[in-house]
Amino acid sequence: GAGVSQSPRYKVAKRGQDVALRCDPISGHVSLFWYQQALGQGPEFLTYFQNEAQLDKSGLPSDRFFAERPEGSVSTLKIQRTQQEDSAVYLCASSPYRGQGQPQHFGDGTRLSIL
Amino acid sequence: AQSVTQLDSQVPVFEEAPVELRCNYSSSVSVYLFWYVQYPNQGLQLLLKYLSGSTLVKGINGFEAEFNKSQTSFHLRKPSVHISDTAEYFCAVSPYTNAGKSTFGDGTTLTVKP
């Protein structure tokens, strides 16, 4: 498809397990973003890539969260030793250039539930 | 740092009535401004953006917004809403100096009643 694709759409994990969330951006898009959206709230910035370089990871809530984009296309957000407070929708977005003033194209998100 | 306040968490309105969704922001640097719409179980879709120039910007689906620098506001308006406009609406800002880091408001739920 032509849009941002995220998988899985839904993920249920037990507390303490590790999870990996995948994002396929729009082909050719330089910038890629991860957000965390808690129920009833707006998206909260997690991290930002320009090609394979992670330019800003100031929003990652703890060292249990790790993101990578090794070849400048697909990205993976990994959460280690999950906690209940990690339950949220994780949104990925991409934009075609360096991001200045460019709107972001969002995927449908991965809904993560930690039991 | 930036912050975005959407002044109404829920806005109910009847079909074909006008609507305004209010957004105020705070920032120590110049910012770009955006409105996005989110339908249930979907990601966000861009409605419109303000980068520079004319303070009145027109977007998709008949929406428009006006940037007011002195009041640091970017309110979204539509003169006549449809049932299909029922959704969550988010205002967002992105600083010139770090356009990768957008800050979103908590959203306004627009419910259009027949």
Side-chain angles (χ1 to χ4, degrees), chain A residues 3-112:
Chain A
V4 177
S5 178
Q6 293 187 246
S7 60
R9 285 297 315 276
Y10 304 92
K11 176 69 178 178
V12 179
K14 293 182 179 179
R15 187 167 59 92
Q17 289 182 330
D18 297 348
V19 298
L21 312 180
R22 176 186 170 103
C23 174
D24 282 87
I26 294 172
S27 178
H29 276 198
V30 169
S31 298
L32 185 144
F33 312 84
W34 283 99
Y35 294 89
Q36 180 189 62
Q37 186 176 21
L39 188 64
Q41 296 184 19
E44 294 277 350
F45 172 83
L46 293 177
T47 187
Y48 158 52
F49 290 85
Q50 196 175 106
N51 296 309
E52 68 277 5
Q54 190 173 20
L55 298 187
D56 189 335
K57 56 181 181 179
S58 62
L60 296 176
S62 77
D63 59 7
R64 296 187 295 104
F65 287 70
F66 173 75
E68 59 183 5
R69 193 187 186 198
E71 298 179 358
S73 55
V74 172
S75 177
T76 303
L77 177 67
K78 298 179 180 178
I79 309 173
Q80 298 176 327
R81 305 182 303 282
T82 53
Q83 303 293 320
Q84 284 193 325
E85 61 263 27
D86 300 335
S87 296
V89 175
Y90 290 85
L91 294 169
C92 176
S94 68
S95 69
Y97 304 114
R98 291 174 58 200
Q100 269 120 359
Q102 295 298 323
Q104 298 173 22
H105 302 258
F106 283 82
D108 288 341
T110 293
R111 183 177 298 276
L112 176 64

Side-chain angles (χ1 to χ4, degrees), chain B residues 61-81:
Chain B
N61 300 340
F63 284 94
E64 63 181 30
E66 185 158 20
F67 170 56
N68 187 317
K69 187 173 183 178
S70 62
Q71 297 186 6
T72 60
S73 68
F74 191 52
H75 300 334
L76 180 71
R77 302 185 183 101
K78 185 169 183 178
S80 176
V81 294

Side-chain angles (χ1 to χ4, degrees), chain B residues 6-84:
Chain B
Q6 293 186 238
L7 297 163
D8 307 291
S9 59
Q10 298 193 36
V11 174
V13 65
F14 287 105
E15 192 174 19
E16 298 184 6
V19 71
E20 178 180 78
L21 307 184
R22 298 181 293 167
C23 172
N24 286 356
Y25 70 94
S26 173
S27 177
S28 56
V29 299
S30 296
V31 294
Y32 303 110
L33 298 123
F34 304 87
W35 274 98
Y36 290 87
V37 61
Q38 186 177 35
Y39 299 101
N41 297 316
Q42 293 185 24
L44 282 68
Q45 301 173 28
L46 180 71
L47 278 177
L48 49 79
K49 60 183 178 182
Y50 175 77
L51 304 183
S52 64
S54 172
T55 57
L56 182 64
V57 293
K58 295 188 182 298
I60 62 171
N61 300 340
F63 284 94
E64 63 181 30
E66 185 158 20
F67 170 56
N68 187 317
K69 187 173 183 178
S70 62
Q71 297 186 6
T72 60
S73 68
F74 191 52
H75 300 334
L76 180 71
R77 302 185 183 101
K78 185 169 183 178
S80 176
V81 294
H82 302 291
I83 298 289
S84 59

Side-chain angles (χ1 to χ4, degrees), chain B residues 5 36 91:
Chain B
T5 302
Y36 290 87
C91 180

